[in-house]
Amino acid sequence: MFAVLSDIHANLEALQAVLADMRAHGVDEAVSLGDIVGFNGNPAECVELVRPHLAAAVRGNHEAAMFDGAVFGVPMYISMIDTTRGMLTAEQAEWLHALPLTAVHRGCRIWHATPYAPRIWGRISGTQDARAALNATAERVCLFGHTHRPAAFMMRGGSVEQIPVKYDADGTFTLPLDPDARYLVNPGSVGQPRDGDRRAAYALVDDEHACISLRRVAYDVEAAAPKIARTGLPASFAEALRRGASPTGD
């Protein structure tokens, strides 16, 4: 079993809670789907904390923006990512810069945005996008992030359907994996959820029992939210974190 972490976004309190939940499930190995840094106030601490657990990791648009100013066209975001880069050690920045756009771990293909135009940083948000992603890959299970919203798609034959993600009282949604189907799953965001649920989101891939469990974990949002100001972002970003909402409406 391994964990799938995406869009940590320098939220130390959320990452600490997720790692504790992983350990409670007997899991120490993880993959990162990108955007370890950006937005929140503890980029260096999050890189340092998560790296020992990572068996694989890919680059997100926030990592890319630190080395390519064209990724963000909004002055506020450019300033934020410049500040973020200044909070990292040179070695941490080099490690982030070297991350690939895609990787395979235990037969699962991972990426941040899309596999068919990875440097464009588009979003997979419906069955049409999911079909394009699955047609661009060969692996049975594919994992992506970027939208900050949990999602699950299944392709069987030529048909693609979106599977509603409904968490139980324990904060878990379990997706059984049909051996005759392919899957595309977004675990949601560890550090900046945008689906109206402010709890940190991640997933557990269980090879032995052929299922993926999407998890929600409560964390100290009130400790994390004020630290967004460290990167120069306005108070509205902190309020969005408290609501589990997008700070920009996207």
Side-chain angles (χ1 to χ4, degrees):
M1 189 185 300
F2 67 92
V4 185
L5 313 180
S6 191
D7 299 279
I8 295 168
H9 280 299
N11 187 329
L12 180 61
E13 287 76 13
L15 178 58
Q16 288 171 330
V18 163
L19 292 177
D21 194 70
M22 282 170 49
R23 288 191 293 270
H25 286 81
V27 178
D28 188 61
E29 180 182 86
V31 300
S32 168
L33 306 184
D35 280 3
I36 296 173
V37 301
F39 289 134
N40 289 286
N42 293 107
E45 295 88 343
C46 285
V47 171
E48 198 67 21
L49 185 60
V50 78
R51 277 176 68 180
H53 299 277
L54 296 180
V58 295
R59 187 188 320 164
N61 56 305
H62 281 247
E63 285 88 19
M66 290 198 299
F67 309 99
D68 181 0
V71 172
F72 289 143
V74 180
M76 178 176 66
Y77 278 10
I78 295 172
S79 177
M80 175 272 296
I81 209 68
D82 285 345
T83 300
T84 293
R85 184 173 56 244
M87 297 166 79
L88 298 166
T89 68
E91 190 276 334
Q92 288 174 333
E94 289 172 6
W95 179 77
L96 292 170
H97 186 48
L99 292 175
L101 289 169
T102 186
V104 176
H105 179 64
R106 294 199 193 180
C108 299
R109 172 69 61 178
I110 66 173
W111 67 81
H112 184 65
T114 71
Y116 43 82
R119 298 181 189 276
I120 303 300
W121 309 110
R123 291 182 172 89
I124 295 173
S125 57
T127 54
Q128 185 173 350
D129 299 329
R131 182 188 300 278
L134 288 166
N135 284 340
T137 55
E139 289 76 15
R140 179 169 166 248
V141 174
C142 298
L143 306 164
F144 73 102
H146 194 44
T147 70
H148 295 218
R149 296 170 175 87
F153 301 89
M154 179 178 69
M155 174 184 275
R156 184 187 286 113
S159 176
V160 177
E161 64 176 292
Q162 184 164 2
I163 301 168
V165 176
K166 297 180 179 180
Y167 297 97
D168 62 19
D170 184 48
T172 302
F173 169 74
T174 300
L175 175 67
L177 301 179
D178 184 332
D180 296 322
R182 296 180 65 211
Y183 294 88
L184 177 63
V185 176
N186 186 328
S189 172
V190 171
Q192 196 191 72
R194 295 182 179 179
D195 61 339
D197 184 339
R198 72 186 209 167
R199 294 176 296 175
Y202 82 107
L204 295 169
V205 177
D206 189 335
D207 309 271
E208 181 180 355
H209 297 98
C211 66
I212 299 176
S213 295
L214 280 70
R215 296 274 301 147
R216 298 310 283 255
V217 183
Y219 74 96
D220 191 347
V221 180
E222 291 307 320
K227 292 192 285 185
I228 290 177
R230 293 180 181 178
T231 62
L233 292 174
S236 59
F237 278 70
E239 289 305 312
L241 194 68
R242 293 183 174 102
R243 300 193 314 272
S246 169
T248 55
D250 60 349

